[in-house]
Amino acid sequence: ISKPAVIGVPLDASSDLEITLVANMISLTPGTLSLDVSQDRTMLYVHVMFMDDEETTKAQIKERIEKRVLEALR
């Protein structure tokens, strides 16, 4: 059963390239879609189709996607 939600994921990524790659990698993940970045570029808003636990989902995005993108670029 799907439980869609929009969540805000705090970003450690700061450059345009880092944020763009993180957002694109999230959108390539089935069931997720990057929607927008906050004006101060510290929060990425993500639509999640199958939400079980918000904090777990945020942690997975940070660990599995953002951390790897930043390791590759920095």
Side-chain angles (χ1 to χ4, degrees):
I1 289 183
S2 69
K3 291 184 188 173
V6 175
I7 61 172
V9 179
L11 288 172
D12 293 320
S14 56
S15 73
D16 288 342
L17 177 62
E18 291 170 348
I19 293 170
T20 300
L21 285 176
V22 170
N24 285 339
M25 294 301 292
I26 289 169
S27 292
L28 288 172
T29 305
T32 58
L33 177 68
S34 298
L35 299 175
D36 200 6
V37 178
S38 64
Q39 289 233 315
D40 63 2
R41 298 163 43 119
T42 61
M43 189 75 64
L44 179 63
Y45 297 99
V46 178
H47 180 271
V48 180
M49 187 57 111
F50 302 99
M51 173 65 72
D52 290 324
D53 177 68
E54 183 174 344
E55 293 308 313
T56 300
T57 301
K58 286 180 187 181
Q60 289 174 344
I61 289 171
K62 302 272 305 160
E63 183 68 25
R64 294 181 183 170
I65 297 173
E66 185 181 33
K67 180 180 176 185
R68 290 178 181 175
V69 168
L70 296 180
E71 285 174 351
L73 294 177
R74 291 183 178 174

